[in-house]
Amino acid sequence: MSKDFCLLDEPWLPVRLVDGRVLELGLLEVFERSDEIDGLAETAPPSLVAQYRLLLAITHRALTAAFGTWRDRDRLRWYREGLPVADIRAYLEHWRERFWLFHPEFPFMQAAVLASAKETCDKRKPWTQIALASANGNTPVVFDHALDTAPTAIRPADAVATLLGFLQFTPGGLVKALRDADKAGALVNTAAVLPVGPRFAQTLCLALHPAPREGCVPDLPSWEREPPGIAALRGEPSLASGPNDRYTRLSRAVLLCPEEDGAVRWLHFAAGLALGEDAQAPDPMASFRAGSNGLVRLTFGDGRALWRDLPALVPAADENSQAAAVVQYALGLHQQLNPLEQTHQPLLVAGLASDQAKLLRWRLEQLVLPTALLLDAEKAQFLRGQVAVGETLFGELKRLAIGLLAEALPDSSSKDTRARARGMVEAGPLAVRYFAEAERSLPVLLQRIGEGEFEPATAYWGGVLRSAAEVAWKQFLMGVGSSPRAIRAEARYWPRFQGLLRRHAPFPEYPSPAKEAVT
């Protein structure tokens, strides 16, 4: 190991400039050119979220070192005039020694002790051990046919991005080095939320967590802490001291092994500094929705349309959901802004869903919400009600579909037949088609609610849901077939379907949703 590849100077962080160009920059240049940058250009959702968290931790610690404390009016000044780049540069230069990727004592976001510890010094794993998108060990091979015994080499820049995303999103499970198993990363199974500004610097201002309170334990990122030893890696889970700790926690102990040309093929790997969970201090980027036994984290489960969980993304007094703290940070800034400065607040939602140690899917989406809707509790509560109407209608539509399909199948009176029908409906296109149709008109609904037009919004949304239900039902009937049994079942259920629409989605008194969505 030798001091090589300093993250302050070497280009590794992909950014998209306002003119559309995509470049890789070092940390110093990212902050110096923050007003020219539209946003980060990382394409892997876990790495994208982790990179923003790294930059937020750097910004927070630099401001703490320079100012000690700050208020929303200070964030407002930085939002309008730009970040205090000189102070951030001074902070990074002060900690330069901790930002070398292959430093013999302080490798960035790694555990140097693995090179000498008897449990790990003679054991190396392929770099795909920390690649959430790659097959390794006994994970299923779909598109990636990498061989553990002969991994391809990757650039140091790619190794950093891969490591950051892994540390935040790694699921809990077997490790078999220093401990048999280890806790999950801070964002396991989470759809992380980030408020996005017109420019990169403004995004950091919107998502920046509050200044430290006087007398509190310092919330230090990993590079300001002593390098972990074997005893610490064997230790019990510990609660995070704050967002900076969560954003940079070494949830696994990793040590990259550079080749002679600086590329990375191998690494040392072991259990890390396990993160304990505190129900009173959830992750700032995690939102929560109602589950069967209380609130559960918002995640990308089963291909569920994200807008169905809008109530969990907007602040409102409701025990059935909880918006991410970063949304509250953004609203604190919006309350200082002129209403015309940012009429809409985009929310980037990205993450990875897993089932125990098996990774299922990752996604990245962006919702654009009227700022007025976020700032007004009454409007947010009204939105929750409209989303609930859509869910109620679908729930009854699904029950009708299950009943119809069961009657269309042989031995329709059997419980097994109904269970089979339920499985077929849940695996079919009913939910996807219904919610996709409704989503097309969602921006109009959000705009009307933001403008306080509650009655027109209610009538409009009723028409949208009626149309979505009709389209989904028609497609469902095509799958049922045209056997005599199916035709009789369809005839019996048609009045019930019409009654369902009359109850939950009466004919609108306003212009057609399809026409308004187009205009």
Side-chain angles (χ1 to χ4, degrees):
M1 300 290 284
S2 63
K3 287 205 301 184
D4 194 12
F5 200 88
C6 182
L7 277 70
L8 302 188
D9 310 313
E10 297 283 352
W12 68 276
L13 197 61
V15 301
R16 182 180 57 258
L17 302 183
V18 294
D19 61 8
R21 288 181 296 155
V22 173
L23 304 175
E24 287 185 340
L25 304 177
L27 285 172
L28 288 174
E29 194 171 3
V30 164
F31 283 102
E32 288 170 355
R33 302 179 64 178
S34 55
D35 289 336
E36 303 175 44
I37 297 173
D38 187 53
L40 298 186
E42 175 61 56
T43 57
S47 297
L48 176 66
V49 173
Q51 289 166 15
Y52 271 115
R53 285 160 77 90
L54 169 68
L55 295 166
L56 285 167
I58 291 172
T59 303
H60 191 275
R61 290 300 295 161
L63 296 176
T64 300
F67 305 104
T69 187
W70 61 87
R71 300 183 181 277
D72 282 341
R73 62 173 178 268
D74 300 306
R75 281 202 298 153
L76 175 64
R77 185 176 71 256
W78 301 326
Y79 182 92
R80 288 172 170 166
E81 301 174 5
L83 294 169
V85 174
D87 296 312
I88 297 175
R89 169 179 274 279
Y91 170 80
L92 289 173
E93 290 291 356
H94 177 77
W95 290 100
R96 172 176 284 273
E97 196 73 0
R98 302 295 181 95
F99 282 87
W100 292 91
L101 189 60
F102 302 121
H103 195 290
E105 297 178 68
F106 313 114
F108 179 74
M109 298 285 286
Q110 298 164 73
V113 69
L114 300 186
S116 57
K118 63 180 182 179
E119 298 91 340
T120 58
C121 64
D122 295 328
K123 298 178 181 179
R124 297 197 305 176
K125 290 182 176 291
W127 70 268
T128 52
Q129 177 74 28
I130 61 170
L132 296 171
S134 295
N136 64 81
N138 65 350
T139 55
V141 175
V142 182
F143 300 111
D144 179 6
H145 294 265
L147 186 63
D148 285 356
T149 56
T152 57
I154 59 172
R155 303 179 306 149
D158 297 325
V160 177
T162 302
L163 175 63
L164 292 176
F166 175 80
L167 292 176
Q168 289 296 310
F169 285 90
T170 181
L174 295 176
V175 176
K176 295 185 178 180
L178 303 183
R179 286 200 303 271
D180 288 338
D182 206 357
K183 301 280 282 184
L187 288 177
V188 63
N189 231 6
T190 302
V193 182
L194 181 76
V196 178
R199 295 287 182 271
F200 165 73
Q202 293 166 320
T203 296
L204 294 184
C205 290
L206 285 166
L208 186 65
H209 40 295
R213 290 181 294 176
E214 187 176 351
C216 289
V217 175
D219 177 24
L220 303 179
S222 66
W223 55 85
E224 290 193 42
R225 298 174 181 268
E226 287 300 311
I230 294 298
L233 298 177
R234 291 185 186 276
E236 294 297 316
S238 61
L239 299 179
S241 59
N244 295 329
D245 184 4
R246 294 188 70 93
Y247 290 177
T248 63
R249 175 67 71 102
L250 303 185
S251 56
R252 295 289 185 276
V254 177
L255 182 62
L256 302 174
C257 302
E259 305 280 303
E260 290 185 1
D261 60 358
V264 175
R265 294 178 188 270
W266 305 97
L267 52 79
H268 298 290
F269 185 85
L273 302 176
L275 177 64
E277 287 296 339
D278 182 356
Q280 304 304 315
D283 193 283
M285 293 186 182
S287 295
F288 296 82
R289 61 179 178 87
S292 56
N293 294 307
L295 295 180
V296 295
R297 284 195 182 198
L298 183 63
T299 187
F300 292 119
D302 302 326
R304 179 184 173 94
L306 179 62
W307 71 266
R308 296 174 63 183
D309 292 311
L310 268 175
L313 299 175
V314 297
D318 191 325
E319 62 182 11
N320 294 320
S321 60
Q322 180 179 320
V326 288
V327 178
Q328 299 285 3
Y329 305 156
L331 294 187
L333 184 54
H334 276 293
Q335 289 170 347
Q336 304 289 323
L337 288 170
N338 184 302
L340 298 179
E341 285 187 80
Q342 192 169 350
T343 58
H344 290 77
Q345 177 57 69
L347 297 178
L348 179 72
V349 187
L352 182 149
S354 59
D355 179 11
Q356 298 182 358
K358 300 301 181 184
L359 309 180
L360 303 177
R361 68 187 63 83
W362 66 29
R363 277 166 60 187
L364 186 154
E365 296 190 29
Q366 182 167 285
L367 294 172
V368 181
L369 304 179
T371 304
L373 190 156
L374 293 171
L375 291 172
D376 190 323
E378 182 183 5
K379 294 175 180 177
Q381 193 63 31
F382 182 81
L383 172 63
R384 290 166 182 256
Q386 297 305 304
V387 173
V389 171
E391 291 288 344
T392 300
L393 174 57
F394 175 72
E396 295 197 21
L397 182 69
K398 178 180 173 182
R399 281 192 289 273
L400 284 184
I402 293 171
L404 187 156
L405 184 57
E407 290 196 20
L409 294 173
D411 195 13
S412 58
S413 60
S414 168
K415 290 184 179 179
D416 291 341
T417 299
R418 187 168 183 86
R420 180 186 171 200
R422 175 181 294 278
M424 293 172 67
V425 169
E426 290 178 347
L430 186 74
V432 172
R433 192 60 187 270
Y434 173 84
F435 288 108
E437 285 291 323
E439 186 175 4
R440 294 170 54 195
S441 301
L442 187 65
V444 177
L445 174 69
L446 297 176
Q447 190 62 38
R448 286 190 165 179
I449 297 176
E451 294 171 355
E453 299 178 1
F454 292 162
E455 291 188 11
T458 299
Y460 175 81
W461 190 237
V464 168
L465 296 179
R466 167 179 280 272
S467 176
E470 290 174 339
V471 170
W473 186 256
K474 181 178 179 180
Q475 184 167 356
F476 162 72
L477 292 178
M478 292 173 62
V480 173
S482 56
S483 67
R485 186 186 294 270
I487 293 173
R488 288 195 296 270
E490 179 183 344
R492 282 194 294 269
Y493 274 80
W494 178 252
R496 303 183 197 181
F497 173 67
Q498 291 299 316
L500 176 64
L501 296 183
R502 285 193 296 272
R503 287 195 307 274
H504 296 288
F507 283 107
E509 301 175 7
Y510 295 85
S512 156
K515 291 182 180 179
E516 290 208 22
V518 172
T519 57

